[in-house]
């Protein structure tokens, strides 16, 4: 939660606090606690939320919350209140990024008014995009739930991965293999298929970890103590991410560029540069030349979603 002013803009909040959402029964309860704590006059509110926003309502993806904008207006005594999808929030921050807040994987040839694709593997797989509004001379953000589309394997090994995971999920989406929750699924495939032995030290770390994903990623990035299983896992993840980033780029004609957000890409920059990502990104048959022209960047600013929703809120009336 943060409070912003038009005078200070979206990068300099008047106040900011972090709340563990699982400890509260609703978004409204958090907002009320925040407003009471900071004691600042607020005239409107915009909230970035994880889930599809339909008619100003959203069922939050990973919390038992149903959020309604009109209900929040009444509960908080604010009007208006808007809900913005979390990836739309991230996308809205992209045009505000400074040069040192991005890492360029490929310069390409940017169309200054072309659509922009945003793919964000974190805990889940978020996707969004921006289109140019010629009348207002600015980009407009759009939400997407593309991370939940059907996983499509590109190689014989990925086909084996699909066959391995198929019985385990009612619907096998890209999120199941291209996110923080997907990395352990890929690892389980390689370990279960006997592609390499699991080191004893890694098995011990995984047994003690609440979340296996950082353990697997850190082991794959470790230049001193190698782990073939983790290397295979990260290479497969990077290749799948490249393919899906290319899928979204094709669907929205992202001649303005592709941006990788979320918590994972900044932590695996060497793996993204290894070749597997761009090989899969470019591999779109007759449109390979088009893909090779599209710039690709990694978002390094961890506050990109807050920046985007703050910018939206300062313009929202």
């Amino acid at each position: 939660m943060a409070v912003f002013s038009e005078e200070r803009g979206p990068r300099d909040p008047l106040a900011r606090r972090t709340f563990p959402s699982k400890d509260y029964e609703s978004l409204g309860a958090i907002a009320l606690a925040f407003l009471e704590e900071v004691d600042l006059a607020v005239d409107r509110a915009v909230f970035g939320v994880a889930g599809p926003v339909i008619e100003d309502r959203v069922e939050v993806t990973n919390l038992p919350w149903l959020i309604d904008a009109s209900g929040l207006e009444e509960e908080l005594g604010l009007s208006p209140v808007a809900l913005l999808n979390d990836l739309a929030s991230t996308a809205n921050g992209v045009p505000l990024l400074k040069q040192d807040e991005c890492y360029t994987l490929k310069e390409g040839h940017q169309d200054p008014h072309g659509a922009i694709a945003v793919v964000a593997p974190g805990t889940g797989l978020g996707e969004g995009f921006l289109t140019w509004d010629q009348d207002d001379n600015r980009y407009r953000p759009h939400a997407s739930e593309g991370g939940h589309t059907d996983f499509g394997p590109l190689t014989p090994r990925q086909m084996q991965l699909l066959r391995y995971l198929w019985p385990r999920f009612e619907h096998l989406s890209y999120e199941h293999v291209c996110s923080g929750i997907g990395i352990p699924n890929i690892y389980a495939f390689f370990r279960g298929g006997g592609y390499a032995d699991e080191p004893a030290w890694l098995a011990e770390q995984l047994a003690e970890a609440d979340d296996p994903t950082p353990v697997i990623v850190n082991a794959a990035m470790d230049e001193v103590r190698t782990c073939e299983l983790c290397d295979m896992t990260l290479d497969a993840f990077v290749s799948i991410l490249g393919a899906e980033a290319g899928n979204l780029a094709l669907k929205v004609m992202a001649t303005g560029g592709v941006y990788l957000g979320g918590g994972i890409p900044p932590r695996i920059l060497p793996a993204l540069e290894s070749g597997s990502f761009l090989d899969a990104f470019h591999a779109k048959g007759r449109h390979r030349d088009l893909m090779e022209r599209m710039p690709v960047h990694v978002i390094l600013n961890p506050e990109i979603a807050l920046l985007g929703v703050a910018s939206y809120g300062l313009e929202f009336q």
Side-chain angles (χ1 to χ4, degrees):
M1 294 282 170
V3 177
F4 297 88
S5 68
E6 293 179 357
E7 292 75 20
R8 290 169 58 163
R11 287 184 173 271
D12 188 14
L14 300 173
R16 177 180 168 179
R17 303 286 188 276
T18 299
F19 296 84
S21 52
K22 62 182 177 58
D23 292 349
Y24 292 82
E25 63 182 13
S26 68
L27 177 60
I30 294 178
L32 286 171
F34 172 63
L35 292 173
E36 182 178 357
E37 185 176 333
V38 301
D39 192 25
L40 290 169
V42 175
D43 62 0
R44 59 188 184 271
V46 179
F47 299 102
V49 292
V53 179
I54 300 174
E55 296 181 349
D56 294 325
R57 291 164 59 93
V58 59
E59 293 186 27
V60 180
T61 303
N62 294 313
L63 289 168
W65 293 356
L66 175 62
I67 302 174
D68 178 83
S70 61
L72 283 172
E73 288 183 358
E74 183 176 348
E75 184 177 5
L76 303 180
L78 299 175
S79 182
V81 170
L83 304 177
L84 191 65
N85 173 268
D86 57 340
L87 257 294
S89 301
T90 297
N92 201 51
V94 166
L96 304 176
L97 287 171
K98 298 178 180 179
Q99 187 172 358
D100 63 356
E101 293 177 323
C102 286
Y103 184 89
T104 298
L105 292 175
K106 181 165 65 91
E107 287 284 353
H109 301 275
Q110 181 182 8
D111 176 352
H113 295 159
I116 295 172
V118 181
V119 180
T123 301
L125 179 61
E127 298 186 3
F129 60 101
L130 294 150
T131 56
W132 183 254
D133 185 331
Q134 186 172 354
D135 293 335
D136 287 342
N137 198 39
R138 56 159 293 171
Y139 274 102
R140 297 290 182 186
H142 305 278
S144 165
E145 292 298 327
H148 298 282
T149 56
D150 307 329
F151 168 54
L154 295 180
T155 67
R157 182 167 289 182
Q158 288 182 18
M159 183 66 76
Q160 292 170 348
L161 173 64
L162 182 144
R163 292 194 180 106
Y164 174 83
L165 294 175
W166 188 283
R168 292 163 171 77
F169 297 97
E170 180 181 354
H171 170 241
L172 186 61
S173 69
Y174 271 97
E175 183 169 89
H176 288 121
V177 291
C178 193
S179 67
I181 62 175
I183 285 175
N185 292 331
I186 301 174
Y187 180 85
F189 160 70
F190 283 119
R191 182 183 60 187
Y195 288 90
D197 294 330
E198 181 179 71
W201 59 266
L202 180 65
E204 182 178 343
Q205 289 186 15
L206 290 171
E208 296 175 354
D210 293 330
D211 181 0
T213 297
V215 176
I216 296 167
V217 171
N218 290 339
M221 299 300 294
D222 192 330
E223 296 180 358
V224 177
R225 183 166 57 176
T226 60
C227 173
E228 190 176 0
L229 269 179
C230 296
D231 291 345
M232 289 180 176
T233 299
L234 188 59
D235 186 66
F237 168 83
V238 165
S239 179
I240 293 168
L241 175 59
E244 177 57 4
N247 288 341
L248 180 61
L250 267 183
K251 289 174 182 177
V252 303
M253 276 291 290
T255 56
V258 177
Y259 287 78
L260 302 181
I264 297 177
R267 296 164 54 192
I268 61 168
L269 291 178
L272 291 172
E273 288 190 306
S274 67
S276 297
F277 175 86
L278 287 178
D279 285 347
F281 181 84
H282 292 150
K284 301 300 178 188
R286 68 185 69 181
H287 288 304
R288 184 180 186 89
D289 289 346
L290 171 64
M291 304 305 294
E292 290 178 346
R293 291 179 60 84
M294 291 181 182
V296 182
H297 311 279
V298 177
I299 299 171
L300 301 179
N301 183 348
E303 306 294 327
I304 180 67
L306 182 62
L307 177 64
V309 79
S311 175
Y312 187 93
L314 290 172
E315 298 177 0
F316 177 66
Q317 300 292 336

